[in-house]
Every structure is written in C-alpha cells, then in structure tokens.
Amino acid sequence: MGEEVSNKQVILRDFVTGFPKESDFHVRTSSICLKLPQSSKNGVLVKNLFLSCDPYMRILMLQAYVPFPIDSFTPGSVIYGYGVARVLESRDPNLKEGDLVWGVTGWEEYSVIEETQKLFKIQHLDVPLSYYTGILGMPGVTAYFGFYDVCCPKKGESVFVSAASGAVGQLVGQFAKLLGCYVVGSAGTQPKIELLKNKFGFDEAFNYKEEPNLDAALKRYFPKGIDIYFENVGGKMLDAVLGNMSIHGRIAVCGMISQYNLENTEGVHNLMNIVLQRIRMQGFECFDYYHRYSEFLDAVLPLIRAGKLSYVEDIADGLNAGPAALVGLFSGRNVGKQVVAVAAQSCI
C-alpha cells in the first residue's frame, strides 16, 4: 500500500457556451494513493510540475462532437492538457521512477497515465523544464513544422503572423526572421506590440484592435502582398488576409481563436481569391509531426542554447490560479506562453 496524500484538481462544472468563465470550473481536493492501481498494466503514476494553457482546450469544453484527436472534457471530472511531470512509479519498461516526461496529463497534483506511448521522455535538462509545455513541446512542434513544412518558406518572402505574441506565433516569427524573411505580426495590446518588435525581432507589428480597417492595415505593411500567412485567428482577419495575398501565397491554418467562443461563427467572403491568386491554404495538426520530434529537437535546441531564439512565458502559481489562467487566453490577458506551475520550485 502506498501513502495516501491530498490531490488538488481542477474540475469542469458543465459544458461551456460563449466565453468561458472562471466559474465554469472549480478546484477541489480529493485524495490519491501513491501507488499504481493493480488494474494498471503499462501505466505511470506522476507528480505534475507544469501545466500548459492552450486555445484548443476551449474546443474540449463543447458538448457538440468535434473531430479532434483528444476527447472532450467530461463535466464533473478533472480537465486535462499538456504538461510536464515526474514519474513516481512505472509499469512501462521505457520509463522509471524519477524520469521527467511531457505529454497529456490531468490538471491535478498527481495523475495516473495509462497511454504512456504518448508521453515524451525529457532528455535535455539544460533548459527550463517549463519549456516542454511550450517551445520544446506541442507549441514548438506546431510552429516549427507548420512554418517549414506547411508554408514552404523562402528567403526574402513576406510573412504575416496573427496572434503573434502567443505560444506559437512568437516562434513562427522568429523562425521566419532566421530564414531572412520580412515579418509582421498582429496582437491586441501595445506591450505585446513592443514585445514583438523589441524581443522577437519582428520587422513590424500592429494592434488589430486599433485598426478600423484591417484590409487597409495589411496593405500598409504588405504593399506587394503577403507570401505566407500563419493563421491563428480566423474571422475578419482571415477575410482581410485573403484580399492581400500574393500569387501562389501559402496559408498554414493552425487555429481560429476568434471563433471558438461564438455560437454562430463568422463567415469568410474573400474565398474566391484562393482561386484568383492560386493560394494554397492548408490545415494541420501537431499530431501529424510527433514522429519527427527528434528532428525538431536537433534543430531547435541549438538555437535556444546559442541565444538565437527567445521565448516568453506567463507563469501562474498553483492550481488555484489555473482556471483564471486558462480563461484569460480568450481575452488576451496572457503575455507569451501561459503556464501553470503546479509544484513549488523547491519540489521540482
């Protein structure tokens, strides 16, 4: 028998319509035995250290069926998402006590994970562990392969990134600059605009909330058209971009955060431009590229170590702060990658 300890957890009260609120969640304290149950065949018991707040989690709060690789949340149960954890006990021959892993885990202090084949063992400890929720985790894989594989960029091309200060956007912009592209980003506050230009090296950036005419704004920054658009927003921004794409432009559709909280999503009117400008518009998922994770690490780790990639995190302290951190994504409250630190630094 293992020791029985308290286990703080974040619970979804009910399916969510409209913008999520802190009151859609509650934090409860249950108990857990620090011993894998007898029924577990290849599972691991982990202590969660960091949890990742990501826009896709809004989709998991919907009652309607969505064809997504991660199951929707269940009202009354613990929510889950990407995180970093330490293995306390393992029945997986590839993992042992003390190993650090990243992957999908519960929003709680301790979790039992059965699908261990979906976990990544952390081998490189010369970077902050929290990076495995972001630049070295799912957002990093998304940014790297979304830009290089889906966008097929060339030196000197013009690149536009929406939601550019977020977990994915800040990396896409830097990858584009490293390749020698002209890069413009959009964000929703002046501090974020300054961050894009002064920290991440974007050539230009604008606050979309202060632009009465998005089409005019894009023409101002891209008088010869946009070669590559990394799409994180959807709606009116996508419509304006379609009217400003270059011939044979490419659009990588990563997400559409402006639409996740709308019961009736906005229509897009400039679709004919895909034909007229011979635009290639492609959606993709990070899951498509996890088999190439070692290739990703080989490319990105040296850039981090050499100081050629910057990464900004917004870390909330403790599970009690989790609901506010998560819902804050949808009002743009976070600056950089939103993370929840579950364990105190001394426990990590």
Side-chain angles (χ1 to χ4, degrees), residues 51-118:
L51 298 172
S52 176
C53 299
D54 296 297
Y56 79 85
M57 296 172 74
R58 176 64 185 88
I59 300 171
L60 306 185
M61 303 174 201
L62 297 173
Q63 185 169 15
Y65 168 74
V66 178
F68 198 69
I70 300 178
D71 292 336
S72 294
F73 298 144
T74 301
S77 297
V78 179
I79 67 171
Y80 38 82
Y82 284 94
V84 173
R86 184 184 302 278
V87 176
L88 301 181
E89 184 184 1
S90 173
R91 292 192 185 141
D92 183 318
N94 296 312
L95 295 171
K96 65 181 186 302
E97 179 184 348
D99 282 347
L100 292 162
V101 295
W102 73 267
V104 175
T105 186
W107 272 47
E108 54 190 349
E109 292 177 282
Y110 301 93
S111 295
V112 173
I113 302 172
E114 295 294 344
E115 294 186 285
T116 53
Q117 74 277 9
K118 297 182 180 179

Side-chain angles (χ1 to χ4, degrees), residues 84 101-103 119-124 127 129 131-142 144-145 286-301 304:
V84 173
V101 295
W102 73 267
L119 295 175
F120 293 85
K121 186 175 176 179
I122 295 173
Q123 308 278 8
H124 304 279
V127 294
L129 272 181
Y131 274 20
Y132 289 91
T133 68
I135 188 171
L136 293 176
M138 180 274 289
V141 171
T142 301
Y144 182 83
F145 289 108
C286 57
F287 310 98
D288 301 334
Y289 296 99
Y290 280 159
H291 67 287
R292 295 170 62 184
Y293 184 64
S294 60
E295 173 190 338
F296 161 78
L297 285 181
D298 288 344
V300 173
L301 272 171
I304 296 173

Side-chain angles (χ1 to χ4, degrees), residues 174 178 302-310:
Q174 291 180 84
L178 286 169
L303 295 174
I304 296 173
R305 290 167 176 154
K308 294 181 178 180
L309 274 182
S310 297

